[in-house]
Every structure is written in C-alpha cells, then in structure tokens.
Amino acid sequence: MQKGRIIFLNGVTSSGKTSIVEALQEQEDIFFYVVANDLFEQMVGEKYLQQNYWKYLGDVIIMMYHTVKLYSDMGKNVLIDGILVEREEIKPHYMRLLEILKDNPLDIVEVYCPIDVCKKRNYMRDDRYETQSEEQLELMARNIKYSLKVDTSIYTSSECADIIVKELFD
C-alpha cells in the first residue's frame, strides 16, 4: 500500500495555517485528514496543562505525530496544522518529528506572515493576545528544511492552497 502524503503547515499563530487547511479541504482532487496541535492539546485536562503545560503538551504532540504516521501508513493524506517549537521539555522537537516520520512522505511548508500583520490578526481574534505570534516565533525551531514557503500577507488562503497542491502534488 502506498503511504499517504503528510503536509506539515508550520507557522506562528495567526499566520494563516488553519485558513489554508480549510482551503485545502475544498480541493476537488485531493483529500486530507487534519490533525492540529490545538485538537490534541484538548485531550489533556486543563488541570494538568496548568500544572506543567509544556510537559503535557510535549507528550501529546509526540502522540499526534504517531497518529499522523498511522494515517499515512494506511494510505491517507494528512495535514498537520501546528508549530515546531523547541522547548526544553520536548527537545529536540524537530528531530523527533523527522525520526517518527522518517519512512513516510513528509513535506514541511512554512506558512509565513510578517509579525506586524499577525499582531493585527491576533488583535481581531477573541482567542489570541496581540504578542502571541511574536512569542511563538522566539520558540520556533531553527534550521527547518522546508519544501515550500507561502506568504499569507501576499496570497489568499485559496491561492496558498493552490500553490501547495501545484508544487507538491503535480
């Protein structure tokens, strides 16, 4: 059985990852299952997240990557809506992702948006604070090998989805 493609949309909050996920799911000829840091974070009780956020988030993110591997091994395409961060509790995060998915077709797409635009988007949202993207940028893993970069300050979510499909699937 052919393994499903894994597309990891990596970017800070409000960079446009989830909007691109939604646009990719509108594509006619390709279907993706979606996993997201936010969805897996909800698997941990609030009590535990308050006790030691990064420990429990780190645990659940690693479980998320194993879940992605299972879907891919079953021939399903998967989108990961997340951010590769390097915190002491989950180091080396990026290398662990690569190790878990070493036998699966993985492309990491940088979802880029200038910080000032992310700040404005954060301000307009009820579930983010203005400097959240900036703080995440400081935690983001360095030296990531990207297959592609899309800039959501230049292109719409639909245009970014089209670019991803054209560049990675044609």
Side-chain angles (χ1 to χ4, degrees), residues 69-132:
K69 179 177 177 27
L70 175 66
Y71 274 79
S72 174
D73 288 346
M74 294 176 68
K76 308 300 182 191
N77 294 322
V78 184
L79 290 171
I80 302 174
D81 178 345
I83 179 172
L84 288 163
V85 298
E86 290 298 349
R87 289 276 309 195
E88 204 54 49
E89 298 85 348
I90 58 175
K91 274 186 177 176
H93 182 178
Y94 175 51
M95 297 311 292
R96 290 174 82 182
L97 167 78
L98 295 179
E99 177 61 27
I100 292 166
L101 300 176
K102 70 180 180 241
D103 297 324
N104 300 79
L106 169 66
D107 287 289
I108 303 175
V109 175
E110 180 181 8
V111 179
Y112 173 79
C113 183
I115 288 296
D116 61 319
V117 175
C118 288
K119 279 182 170 182
K120 288 176 187 170
R121 291 176 181 174
N122 286 338
Y123 181 77
M124 295 170 58
R125 295 173 68 167
D126 291 336
D127 60 345
R128 302 288 190 266
Y129 54 92
E130 192 173 349
T131 60
Q132 192 168 349

Side-chain angles (χ1 to χ4, degrees), residues 15 24 27 51 53 56 59 62 84 118 142 163-164 168:
S15 62
L24 282 166
Q27 296 286 322
Q51 285 176 2
Y53 179 80
Y56 290 107
D59 290 346
I62 298 306
L84 288 163
C118 288
R142 306 288 184 240
I163 291 167
I164 291 167
L168 300 180

